[in-house]
Amino acid sequence: METINNWWTNFAQKHKLVAQFVKFYAFSLFVTVLQYLLLTFLPGLFYNLTDWCSIPCQLIHLNLGPVDTYVFNYPVTGDATGGMGYFAAFAITLFLAQCVNFPMQRNITFKSKGNVWYQIAWYVVAFILITIVCSFLMGIYVPLCKQFFPPALYNVLITVINGGVQMVIYFPIYKIIFPEGEQKKN
């Protein structure tokens, strides 16, 4: 184990950006699995314990040429995969995932010692904007996945595609939000 640790330490010193991306990817993968697990069970809870899945949730309508969709498009489906219940499960899942992801990325991946409140504020702004962009993109590929794949595979595909898109967007944003080193003194 010590040999692997020494190898990784040497590698990380020589290839800092690659090492950061590997850590970022590993933590993002962990958070993606957490999201998948939560999104597997939470919608069923909302479906069984509330009537929220019978309330349509279609927010922020966009019509951009051939794309006519909602940023958050959760129509009633008659099961746990639609309506306000699924949107609530989705929102809770995203929030909890970010509560896990923020400290891991800030403290371990980027080793940032900047002002935590400033970083939280920018993280929340980035999170909201990226969630809106990814949700818009989901309006394009989710109907295709639903049409061609069974629900168990559909959930995995949606989680992987959405997680992959977010990782490509988040890494450079995190490099800005989480600068390395000590907080600058005024």
Side-chain angles (χ1 to χ4, degrees):
M1 188 68 163
E2 188 174 326
T3 304
I4 293 171
N5 191 30
N6 288 341
W7 175 86
W8 176 254
T9 301
N10 290 334
F11 179 85
Q13 288 172 349
K14 292 178 186 172
H15 308 283
K16 186 167 115 181
L17 186 64
V18 174
Q20 282 180 331
F21 187 79
V22 168
K23 288 179 191 176
F24 167 80
Y25 180 78
F27 293 142
S28 296
L29 187 60
F30 170 76
V31 169
T32 300
V33 170
L34 174 65
Q35 285 179 277
Y36 175 73
L37 291 173
L38 288 170
L39 213 47
T40 298
F41 299 106
L42 275 179
L45 289 175
F46 279 104
Y47 183 73
N48 291 325
L49 301 175
T50 72
D51 64 348
W52 289 11
C53 292
S54 64
I55 303 168
C57 181
Q58 295 173 304
L59 307 170
I60 311 173
H61 183 247
L62 292 176
N63 188 347
L64 304 170
V67 177
D68 184 13
T69 188
Y70 291 90
V71 172
F72 299 103
N73 189 15
Y74 300 96
V76 173
T77 58
D79 61 14
T81 65
M84 185 61 75
Y86 193 83
F87 176 72
F90 169 76
I92 290 168
T93 295
L94 280 179
F95 176 76
L96 292 175
Q98 298 318 309
C99 288
V100 171
N101 197 41
F102 178 88
M104 289 191 310
Q105 301 294 4
R106 178 184 186 268
N107 299 328
I108 300 170
T109 301
F110 297 101
K111 295 180 172 60
S112 182
K113 305 287 189 229
N115 181 320
V116 70
W117 299 110
Y118 175 84
Q119 290 173 335
I120 288 171
W122 278 110
Y123 188 91
V124 168
V125 168
F127 166 70
I128 290 169
L129 293 175
I130 292 168
T131 299
I132 290 171
V133 168
C134 288
S135 292
F136 168 73
L137 293 174
M138 286 174 70
I140 297 168
Y141 64 80
V142 165
L144 294 172
C145 289
K146 271 189 170 182
Q147 183 178 357
F148 295 109
F149 301 103
L153 184 56
Y154 154 84
N155 279 335
V156 172
L157 283 173
I158 297 307
T159 302
V160 169
I161 293 169
N162 195 40
V165 169
Q166 287 184 18
M167 283 189 339
V168 168
I169 297 170
Y170 269 115
F171 186 75
I173 300 297
Y174 286 175
K175 290 288 290 174
I176 295 167
I177 294 173
F178 300 131
E180 283 189 65
E182 298 294 323
Q183 182 179 350
K184 292 180 182 174
K185 307 285 185 207
N186 291 335

